[in-house]
Amino acid sequence: RSVLSLPTLLGHILDILKGIHGHKYYAILLKNEQTGDLVVEACRGFPPETVGLSIAASKGLVGWVAEHQEAQLVIDTTTDARCNVGFPWNKGAEIAIPLVVEEQTIGILDIQSEVPGEFTPEDLHLFKSVGTQISAGVEVALLHEQVKRATAYDGLTGIYNHRYFYKRLEEELKRAQREATPLSIVIFDIDKLKEINDTYGHLVGDAVLKETAHTL
């Protein structure tokens, strides 16, 4: 729990597991709160391009485990239809462990082997046990990421906030002076926003701000 950087934490977890359990394939997927999809945030053994892979909610074995919050041991992935969706490298055996915080699935720990039957019920029990500890650590790191994001991003529009603007402005002013280059600032004003708020309500005005930010 003392590791607050999420990428560092996830990599550290997988290195420990791989060191203990041998040369298998490991991945931690976290749930995207906006889409509900499961996204590979860290992996070991899989090709590097696996990081960032998005698996639609409820798809594949990992999707099933996320939805039902039940750890699964698949002795032979060729006999389980759920393993045909999601990871394109499923060949052999697989264990998927839900990472749950306050009854909500935040992610999945997925372990694979190219050898059918290599994983045992004892392996499943081991990974279920560490899954609880992983969930606690990831929860702390996610909260830390949210706090960091809150200091730099506007909660309504999702774009950089006033504080971050002044921080970047100071940096750019120094760079412009150092390199003797011009610096321009563009300011946008949304016409009749007060009129929109007064006529249709602040929720509509907020929607205008979000759409404008998205367009920019």
Side-chain angles (χ1 to χ4, degrees), residues 27-101:
I28 292 179
L29 304 89
L30 296 182
K31 189 174 183 179
N32 184 303
E33 292 300 325
Q34 279 71 43
T35 65
D37 295 347
L38 292 166
V39 181
V40 179
E41 298 291 346
C43 67
R44 294 293 184 269
F46 291 105
E49 60 268 21
T50 308
V51 174
L53 176 69
S54 182
I55 299 174
S58 303
K59 296 294 184 180
L61 182 65
V62 294
W64 189 95
V65 170
E67 182 178 11
H68 294 85
Q69 296 185 353
E70 295 180 17
Q72 293 289 292
L73 164 62
V74 178
I75 302 297
D76 185 350
T77 56
T78 61
T79 64
D80 193 319
R82 296 173 300 176
C83 299
N84 296 328
V85 183
F87 281 109
W89 304 282
N90 284 39
K91 294 179 181 177
E94 184 173 2
I95 289 177
I97 307 294
L99 304 179
V100 180
V101 173

Side-chain angles (χ1 to χ4, degrees), residues 18 42 76 141 194 203 207:
K18 190 168 184 178
D76 185 350
K194 184 179 185 304
L203 289 178

Side-chain angles (χ1 to χ4, degrees), residues 160-171:
Y160 289 124
N161 62 19
H162 206 240
R163 177 189 297 179
Y164 186 83
F165 166 74
Y166 277 105
K167 177 177 178 295
R168 290 290 293 115
L169 177 61
E170 185 176 344
E171 293 172 354

Side-chain angles (χ1 to χ4, degrees), residues 70-160:
E70 295 180 17
Q72 293 289 292
L73 164 62
V74 178
I75 302 297
D76 185 350
T77 56
T78 61
T79 64
D80 193 319
R82 296 173 300 176
C83 299
N84 296 328
V85 183
F87 281 109
W89 304 282
N90 284 39
K91 294 179 181 177
E94 184 173 2
I95 289 177
I97 307 294
L99 304 179
V100 180
V101 173
E102 296 182 354
E103 300 183 355
Q104 298 295 319
T105 301
I106 62 170
I108 298 291
L109 169 65
D110 192 75
I111 309 99
Q112 299 184 26
S113 170
E114 294 177 339
V115 182
E118 181 160 354
F119 296 133
T120 67
E122 287 74 21
D123 294 323
L124 178 64
H125 179 71
L126 168 67
F127 287 118
K128 284 174 66 176
S129 299
V130 300
T132 303
Q133 303 302 318
I134 293 172
S135 299
V138 170
E139 179 191 21
V140 172
L142 284 173
L143 289 172
H144 182 68
E145 291 287 323
Q146 291 173 9
V147 170
K148 285 200 306 181
R149 181 174 179 83
T151 62
Y153 291 89
D154 175 64
L156 174 66
T157 62
I159 61 176
Y160 289 124

